Amino acid sequence: MSLRNLRGRVAWVFDEDNFDIDRIIGISNLKISDVEQLAALAMADCEPGFAATVQPGDLLVGGHNFGYGHPHFQAMRAMRHLGIAGVIAESFSPGFFLGEINMGFPLITCPGILASVQRGDEIEVDWESDRVRHLPSGRSLPLQRLSSAERGTLEAGGLIPYLKTRIASAKGQQPSVNPK
Amino acid sequence: MPQTMAEKILARASGRTSVRPGDEIDARPDFVIAYDFPGTTDVLFRAAREEFGMDRVSSPERFVLFIDHMIPAAAPKEEELHRVTRAWGAQQGVPVHERKGIGHQVSAELGYATPGALIVHFDGHVSQLGAFGSYAFSARRGVLETFVSETLAITVPPTVRIVLTGTLQTGVMARDVFHHLVRVLGPSSCAFKAVELAGPVIDEMSIEGRQTICGQAMFLGATTMLIAPDARTMAWLEGRSRLDLAPVHPDADAVYERVVTIDVSELEPIIVVPPSPANTRNLSEHLGIEVHTGYLGSCASGRLEDLRAAAQVLRGRQVKAGFQLNVVPTSQAIMAQAAREGLIECLVEAGAFISSPTCDYCYGRIATMADGQRAVSTGTLNTPGRMGSVNSEIYLCNAAVVAASAIEGRIADPRPYLEDVK
């Protein structure tokens, strides 16, 4: 299996460091579970009508320590529903990073990204060369390589399918799993 | 090869002689700890059973569950969740501890915090077991891997060593030291790294204070925080440790990504202003702000030294009329000791509302704030909506500050009250 490259427009640039992603849908809306409703609320405080501007495959760009605070899953559920395919940031808050990778949602750490792109630019995440390419200028930046477990989780589409493939391959090699 | 504490523990748990930062290993956790919460344990149990066909976890003696949230239950569905947890524990042969206190504290009291042990949870505050020299960290939902396999994929983190020097002033407590670290180093300074905490300030610090600091590692971005066990640690653990592991110390020539020395002699009590745990300020800059409620408790604070500090401030004084002071000892053992020391009596007579241990005050399930209300709190977080309405505000501070603010009904400096006692 290999990861499919991501290619899309920058749908939004979050240039604030330590951005609390709960603000994307509004903290008072965290109890909403209906994904349609959540998607309609995305970025509503900053730009009413944001939802209608997103095309499938679009990407988000963030600053340092993106996802700091006590991140809930609703914001990225809403973004995925709109068609957002991943987030590229200067760096991520570890809890947010682990949580979203386990959901099978690509988070790409790419120092320098913030100064290199603007909203609307088309960019590409190339997993072969581990680079993020800014298509209008042809320039590219190295992205921070994922661990094999993180990469496997994205390839499988999330933690559960990934663990299934891992366990199946482990069983292939060593038929009995331990019990003492 | 010289190694840090984190490297030694991860090497042992993955059956290697040594590891280096960046190594991808499959490590066997010595303990898997969880508390029941909707969307976590129920999902873990179901996924293990339905997606993986796992009727039993392997080596159930490694697992322990706590019921510390939604305790006591306030709705049938909450009690139903607890019932699912108890049933799962009974079926698996996994102990379920309830009504004993906040799991991160009780797991230390019950001896899971063994020096040198590798411990995993889905909640990051488990890092406080690092106060005892364990490598305890959150795998978030990835903890599922430990329910369906013996091991867990881990990338060995680099270690940052923080050395604390100097002497703490009166009125400055362990959590001020932690908030100061966030202020000096930055909220992402230790992202994806292990932190080793050392130095004369730590040597002099109580076990409780060490737990307070290590448990907040996530607000530096750190995966975990560890303190090398010393005589104080070993005395505390005497008769408690569940594993016979050799305690782990860092090698003198271990390789750190960074070594930072911070002198805390000038440190004053801290106030962390809303809406982010990174907004660390000196208390003196925010005195006088009207506050309506105070929370003394949580897995970060709420231990004996916190209760003693509050009692020192409140002894012979009264909580301001209309101010709601909620005091929640972190565990039953702590509450019983507080009773023996007369702290409960002192706090009750001063007007505090004392609850048995529960996590529920920390996230607004009870003592819920309304629009426009403001709290001083020793909880873990001050994000909007954490303790009630999204239009309420939380100022994080130490237990003595909560007590002084309860007397005055505004953010107050505890030092004059503490000096009175001397």
Side-chain angles (χ1 to χ4, degrees):
Chain A
M1 251 191 298
S2 72
L3 274 176
R4 279 185 53 191
N5 288 352
L6 305 173
R7 186 173 174 154
R9 301 171 318 153
V10 175
W12 192 270
V13 177
F14 298 89
D15 54 7
E16 191 181 318
D17 287 348
N18 306 315
F19 184 78
D20 177 353
I21 57 106
D22 285 350
R23 284 160 55 193
I24 286 174
I25 53 155
I27 292 145
S28 50
N29 296 317
L30 285 174
K31 293 220 164 77
I32 297 174
S33 59
D34 179 64
V35 74
E36 295 276 349
Q37 268 187 63
L38 287 171
L41 287 165
M43 307 304 295
D45 282 351
C46 298
E47 184 175 282
F50 169 80
T53 70
V54 179
Q55 293 174 8
D58 279 359
L59 299 158
L60 302 175
V61 166
H64 291 279
N65 206 22
F66 188 79
Y68 186 65
H70 198 248
H72 295 81
F73 286 102
Q74 288 86 329
M76 293 301 130
R77 264 188 82 209
M79 286 296 190
R80 281 193 289 277
H81 192 72
L82 292 176
I84 296 292
V87 185
I88 304 153
E90 296 285 333
S91 63
F92 289 96
S93 178
F96 175 69
F97 184 84
L98 279 175
E100 294 298 333
I101 295 283
N102 285 340
M103 301 294 282
F105 185 57
L107 299 187
I108 298 104
T109 307
C110 178
I113 189 70
L114 208 52
S116 308
V117 300
Q118 292 192 325
R119 188 177 180 195
D121 290 353
E122 200 167 352
I123 55 176
E124 184 178 47
V125 177
D126 182 344
W127 299 109
E128 287 294 311
S129 61
D130 279 330
R131 293 187 84 83
V132 177
R133 209 164 286 123
H134 180 249
L135 297 175
S137 67
R139 285 195 302 267
S140 72
L141 291 166
L143 61 85
Q144 194 174 300
R145 242 185 106 72
L146 295 172
S147 73
S148 54
E150 289 158 0
R151 198 174 174 114
T153 304
L154 292 186
E155 283 170 357
L159 179 69
I160 289 178
Y162 169 64
L163 289 180
K164 283 184 180 173
T165 60
R166 231 176 107 89
I167 287 167
S169 69
K171 275 189 182 149
Q173 287 152 13
Q174 30 174 207
S176 75
V177 193
N178 145 39
K180 280 188 197 161
Chain B
M1 198 169 80
Q3 296 193 96
T4 67
M5 288 178 73
E7 289 156 6
K8 286 186 181 181
I9 294 172
L10 293 175
R12 180 195 54 82
S14 59
R16 302 176 183 213
T17 50
S18 68
V19 295
R20 317 169 80 110
D23 284 355
E24 296 180 16
I25 58 170
D26 289 319
R28 182 179 186 272
D30 297 295
F31 296 115
V32 179
I33 308 181
Y35 54 74
D36 77 346
F37 201 75
T40 53
T41 36
D42 49 346
V43 171
L44 284 168
F45 301 158
R46 197 167 53 234
R49 192 173 57 239
E50 293 176 7
E51 299 280 352
F52 296 88
M54 299 287 295
D55 290 329
R56 295 288 297 263
V57 292
S58 121
S59 331
E61 71 280 3
R62 293 187 302 148
F63 286 72
V64 59
L65 291 171
F66 292 94
I67 296 179
D68 53 11
H69 290 66
M70 299 165 293
I71 197 84
K77 69 175 179 189
E78 293 179 347
E79 183 57 20
E80 189 51 47
L81 182 90
H82 297 330
R83 203 150 69 171
V84 166
T85 305
R86 292 178 200 121
W88 187 88
Q91 181 243 330
Q92 301 279 330
V94 168
V96 179
H97 300 282
E98 59 180 305
R99 294 174 176 248
K100 296 232 168 37
I102 299 179
H104 301 312
Q105 167 68 24
V106 181
S107 46
E109 293 169 2
L110 294 176
Y112 290 96
T114 305
L118 176 65
I119 300 172
V120 64
H121 199 303
F122 59 77
D123 182 309
H125 294 298
V126 76
S127 60
Q128 64 187 259
L129 302 184
F132 303 92
S134 301
Y135 184 109
F137 76 109
S138 158
R140 302 272 283 179
R141 293 185 180 191
V143 76
L144 174 63
E145 186 169 354
T146 63
F147 282 67
V148 299
S149 117
E150 278 273 305
T151 60
L152 181 65
I154 293 175
T155 303
V156 177
T159 301
V160 173
R161 183 168 170 90
I162 301 178
V163 180
L164 297 177
T165 60
T167 315
L168 293 178
Q169 295 178 17
T170 303
V172 176
M173 301 184 69
R175 67 177 298 143
D176 298 305
V177 174
F178 178 77
H179 295 312
H180 184 60
L181 295 182
V182 177
R183 174 166 62 181
V184 172
L185 300 172
S188 60
S189 55
C190 302
F192 300 98
K193 303 181 207 314
V195 174
E196 248 177 42
L197 193 61
V201 174
I202 297 301
D203 296 341
E204 289 301 310
M205 189 175 278
S206 66
I207 293 293
E208 294 190 336
R210 298 176 187 184
Q211 289 171 281
T212 297
I213 297 180
C214 290
Q216 312 270 73
M218 64 166 79
F219 300 121
L220 286 167
T223 303
T224 190
M225 190 182 277
L226 307 91
I227 295 172
D230 58 10
R232 198 183 296 241
T233 323
M234 301 321 282
W236 198 95
L237 289 169
E238 181 65 39
R240 283 191 164 120
S241 285
R242 288 181 171 253
L243 289 178
D244 189 19
L245 287 175
V248 164
H249 296 265
D251 290 322
D253 50 352
V255 179
Y256 296 97
E257 188 184 85
R258 189 178 168 198
V259 178
V260 201
T261 301
I262 298 174
D263 190 300
V264 294
S265 300
E266 300 296 312
L267 178 61
E268 294 177 34
I270 294 289
I271 189 102
V272 186
V273 304
S276 153
N279 288 339
T280 302
R281 307 278 186 272
N282 281 342
L283 173 69
S284 54
E285 297 165 33
H286 291 269
L287 294 173
I289 296 172
E290 186 185 3
V291 282
H292 312 95
T293 176
Y295 166 44
L296 198 178
S298 84
C299 61
S301 306
R303 299 190 176 85
L304 283 164
E305 65 185 24
D306 303 305
L307 300 170
R308 286 179 196 135
Q312 239 184 59
V313 170
L314 282 163
R315 191 175 303 278
R317 299 194 177 88
Q318 283 296 307
V319 170
K320 188 182 166 94
F323 186 93
Q324 307 170 29
L325 175 60
N326 297 305
V327 175
V328 192
T330 305
S331 73
Q332 295 285 48
I334 289 169
M335 194 171 191
Q337 179 60 26
R340 285 190 287 270
E341 292 183 20
L343 303 174
I344 302 287
E345 182 182 19
C346 167
L347 293 168
V348 167
E349 284 181 352
F353 181 91
I354 304 208
S355 161
S356 281
T358 173
C359 299
D360 295 343
Y361 288 79
C362 195
Y363 65 102
R365 179 178 160 275
I366 45 181
T368 315
M369 285 195 286
D371 282 2
Q373 288 192 314
R374 239 178 253 130
V376 278
S377 165
T378 66
T380 55
L381 260 179
N382 61 348
T383 49
R386 173 74 179 178
M387 286 171 61
S389 159
V390 295
N391 300 312
S392 61
E393 292 185 318
I394 304 164
Y395 289 79
L396 300 175
C397 53
N398 75 38
V401 177
V402 169
S405 305
I407 296 169
E408 300 190 13
R410 56 198 174 89
I411 295 178
D413 194 328
R415 287 171 291 188
Y417 297 102
L418 293 170
E419 276 156 19
D420 277 7
V421 180
K422 278 187 179 169

